[in-house]
Amino acid sequence: MKRLKAILKKIFVLPPLPTVLIAVPSFLFVFVVLSLGVHSVLAYAAYILSAYAMIVTITGFPGVIQAVKKKAEGSSLLQKIRSHPLGNRLLGDAVFRSEITLHGGLFVNLLYAALNLFSGIRYRSAWFIALAVYYVLLSVMRILLVRYMHRKPIGEDIPSEFRYYRTCGIILLFMNQALVGIVVYMINQNRGFSYPGMLIYAMAAYTFYITILAIVNLVKFRKRGSPVLSASKVISLTAALVSMLSLETAMIAQFGVDQPAFRRTMIAVSGGCICAIVLAMAVFMIVKATRQLRAIDSN
């Protein structure tokens, strides 16, 4: 078993330089294949390489970031940023960065919720209403965590943090129903997201980035022992997974063949997996928080 783990680690956990040299060409390769509409052995090779590139990017992302940080440490620009108290805190305090990210995510979610709600009412569209419900619930969770961060320092009151953690898990259960509605609507109406022109490539790069970052941060911040920070990373991962679903539908619409059955099958499989993952995270959060609170109360 140890030998198998060592072999798998050599294959899927690479140093920073090999990670970049494999990931960047592989992702470019699959985008070229998709843009040219190639449907051959070359396309299958591109898909396999991109899948492998995604794995090594996720496992090697922290190492790449650390390598970039080491290279940038001596730069004059970084020194100027560190000379300012706010810049120094932003670069050196991971918890503070999480708070900034949470505030930014809340603003974007509220904007999306308002736009989709307006569109749903104006066009009487169940599609936009379902998206509005999703973004509203996402915003509610982030509002709860932002309020807590304003009231108490992270890690000071763990029982209270677990209560917020459990509340977010309960809201995530309801949000999962909105996700199911979105997926069902896409399947029944054969509808999805779309991005004009070259914007789809920028959205693909951004979606891959936030998904990898969300997975890495979810693992990283679990070690800090703060349920509130862990909840914020679960929210980020949920948003990233939905972005992956929207990207998939957009790429099928722009690069895929005109086969409604294939489109529905792909959306059903990927959408079902995402809903199952969100449901599992919600149940895990509720169960874990309940057990921890019972253990604390018993002591």
Side-chain angles (χ1 to χ4, degrees), residues 32-73:
V32 169
V33 167
L34 289 171
S35 62
L36 295 176
V38 177
H39 302 286
S40 62
V41 177
L42 195 64
Y44 289 107
Y47 300 149
I48 293 171
L49 280 173
S50 64
Y52 176 67
M54 174 63 77
I55 295 171
V56 298
T57 301
I58 292 172
T59 58
F61 190 76
V64 173
I65 295 299
Q66 290 298 324
V68 172
K69 284 183 178 178
K70 287 182 180 179
K71 289 289 184 181
E73 279 297 332

Side-chain angles (χ1 to χ4, degrees), residues 57-123:
T57 301
I58 292 172
T59 58
F61 190 76
V64 173
I65 295 299
Q66 290 298 324
V68 172
K69 284 183 178 178
K70 287 182 180 179
K71 289 289 184 181
E73 279 297 332
S75 67
S76 57
L77 176 61
L78 199 63
Q79 294 300 325
K80 287 181 180 179
I81 295 174
R82 285 192 180 278
S83 64
H84 192 280
L86 180 61
N88 187 50
R89 189 181 179 191
L90 188 62
L91 292 174
D93 190 342
V95 174
F96 179 67
R97 287 199 302 271
S98 295
E99 292 178 9
I100 296 297
T101 304
L102 193 60
H103 282 77
L106 173 60
F107 173 77
V108 173
N109 290 159
L110 288 172
L111 180 61
Y112 280 174
L115 289 174
N116 282 291
L117 185 60
F118 172 78
S119 299
I121 294 172
R122 180 176 181 181
Y123 301 111

Side-chain angles (χ1 to χ4, degrees), residues 211-224:
T211 303
I212 293 168
L213 189 63
I215 294 171
V216 171
N217 281 337
L218 183 63
V219 176
K220 178 181 176 181
F221 278 85
R222 280 186 65 189
K223 300 176 182 177
R224 290 184 175 271

